[in-house]
């Protein structure tokens, strides 16, 4: 009995887990930093109430939490992405939002709906907490902030067969890696090193300036959801698979070496996705926590 359990545990450790982590730490940090600058007063108040003390009021401090717990909360690991059938460059909720056991809703867009719905039921003022016992709103906030980031990483809505680029081995300059990791981390890390004096906060400031100077006309389109929905993750996912096909997979076949040409042409895509992720996370939280004020007063 004991032996068998040890063997099962041992086998579990040997199974190559799909290593589809979200944007790297830097990407999630950037999205949440940008987001915090766009929060309404109500939303900022609610977020600060919900953040764990260790975050010291900084949403960005907990934006990689969902990656840290994904092996402890095994059920959550499918919630980081939504892959499409191979070579399909469009996304459809009913077809694509499931885990590897085909359980529906278990994907990044389903998770965004789930945690949006949970937070809408939150009563931050704490007057009717018996309604809220089923949810941990601190976790809901940390999951939501992370998954809104993930759904904006183009290869989080990539093809199923290559695990969103995880099984496409490439070189990033001289370093051996895979295509998914290039989009999670390497592009951002190389940009920070090359253009931003090795300081992520300078890159974040440049993106923030771009939002106000260059993309100000686009921001309300980014924020908007049809039918006044609180969140519209299907739209973000559709954009991602389209960008994955046009930019991420293109000229990145197994074994290829990606260098300046790929880096410099893809970096603006990454920067814009970080901007959109940040602006939209704020828009979602702003919508959640105004409807919430009403609930709290009822
Ligand atoms: C919804 O959230 C709960 C609580 O974290 C979790 O147990 C459940 O798996 C989530 N479902 C989806 C589809 O995200
Ligand atoms: C909610 O989740 C956080 C983070 O996992 C945890 O520290 C806290 O104890 C949880 N709260 C409750 C009431 O379970
Ligand atoms: C805005 O875009 C222009 C043209 O693409 C570029 O030259 C400029 O540096 C951008 N501004 C910022 C703040 O990045
Ligand atoms: C969205 O909300 C606005 C303001 O509350 C309202 O005027 C508009 O009719 C709503 N649109 C839809 C499609 O429900
Ligand atoms: C700013 O916007 C310009 C034009 O869209 C783009 O080329 C550039 O990469 C962006 N830079 C940052 C830091 O977002």
């Amino acid at each position: 009995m004991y032996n068998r359990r040890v063997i099962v545990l041992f086998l579990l450790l040997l199974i190559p887990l799909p290593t589809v982590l979200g944007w790297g730490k830097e990407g999630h940090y950037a999205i949440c930093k940008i987001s915090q600058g766009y929060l309404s007063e109500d939303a900022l108040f609610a977020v600060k109430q919900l953040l764990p003390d260790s975050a010291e009021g900084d949403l960005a401090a907990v934006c990689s939490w969902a990656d840290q717990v994904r092996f402890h909360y095994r059920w959550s690991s499918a919630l980081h992405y939504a892959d499409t059938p191979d070579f399909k460059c469009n996304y459809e909720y009913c077809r694509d939002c499931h885990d590897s056991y085909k359980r529906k809703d278990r994907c990044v867009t389903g998770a965004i709906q789930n945690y949006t719905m949970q937070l809408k039921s939150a009563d931050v003022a704490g007057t009717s907490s018996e309604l809220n016992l089923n949810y941990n709103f601190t976790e809901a906030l940390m999951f939501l902030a992370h998954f809104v980031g993930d759904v904006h990483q183009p290869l989080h809505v990539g093809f199923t067969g290559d695990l969103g680029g995880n099984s496409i081995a490439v070189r990033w300059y001289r370093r051996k890696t895979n295509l998914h990791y290039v989009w999670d981390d390497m592009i951002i890390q190389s940009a920070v090193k090359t253009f931003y004096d090795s300081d992520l906060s300078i890159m974040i400031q440049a993106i923030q300036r771009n939002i106000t100077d260059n993309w100000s006309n686009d921001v309300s389109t980014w924020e908007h959801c049809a039918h006044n929905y609180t969140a519209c993750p299907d739209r973000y996912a559709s954009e991602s698979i389209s960008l994955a096909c046009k930019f991420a997979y293109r000229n990145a076949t197994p074994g290829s070496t990606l260098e300046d040409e790929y880096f410099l042409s893809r970096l603006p895509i990454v920067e814009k996705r970080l901007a959109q992720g940040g602006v939209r996370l704020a828009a979602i939280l702003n919508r959640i926590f105004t409807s919430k004020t009403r609930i709290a007063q009822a």
Side-chain angles (χ1 to χ4, degrees), residues 195-239:
F195 300 117
Y196 300 106
D197 208 12
S198 295
D199 185 346
L200 177 62
S201 65
I202 301 178
M203 179 171 178
I204 293 171
Q205 284 159 22
I207 296 173
Q208 285 168 324
R209 264 201 313 280
N210 242 2
I211 296 173
T212 42
D213 298 354
N214 278 353
W215 296 323
S216 58
N217 293 330
D218 302 328
V219 166
S220 61
T221 321
W222 295 353
E223 289 172 330
H224 181 256
C225 287
H227 315 294
N228 288 347
Y229 287 153
T230 307
C232 36
D234 290 343
R235 190 172 142 220
Y236 321 146
S238 298
E239 294 165 355

Side-chain angles (χ1 to χ4, degrees), residues 163-175:
L163 306 172
N166 270 287
S167 67
I168 300 181
V170 296
R171 271 177 196 272
W172 181 250
Y173 295 88
R174 299 177 62 184
R175 181 173 164 174

Side-chain angles (χ1 to χ4, degrees), residues 255-271:
S256 51
T257 298
L258 308 176
E259 295 177 298
D260 285 0
E261 193 185 323
Y262 190 93
F263 173 43
L264 298 173
S265 55
R266 273 54 169 186
L267 175 59
I269 310 294
V270 168
E271 288 167 330

Side-chain angles (χ1 to χ4, degrees), residues 65 73 136 139 142:
W65 173 84
Y73 287 167
N136 181 324
E139 292 195 344
M142 296 192 290

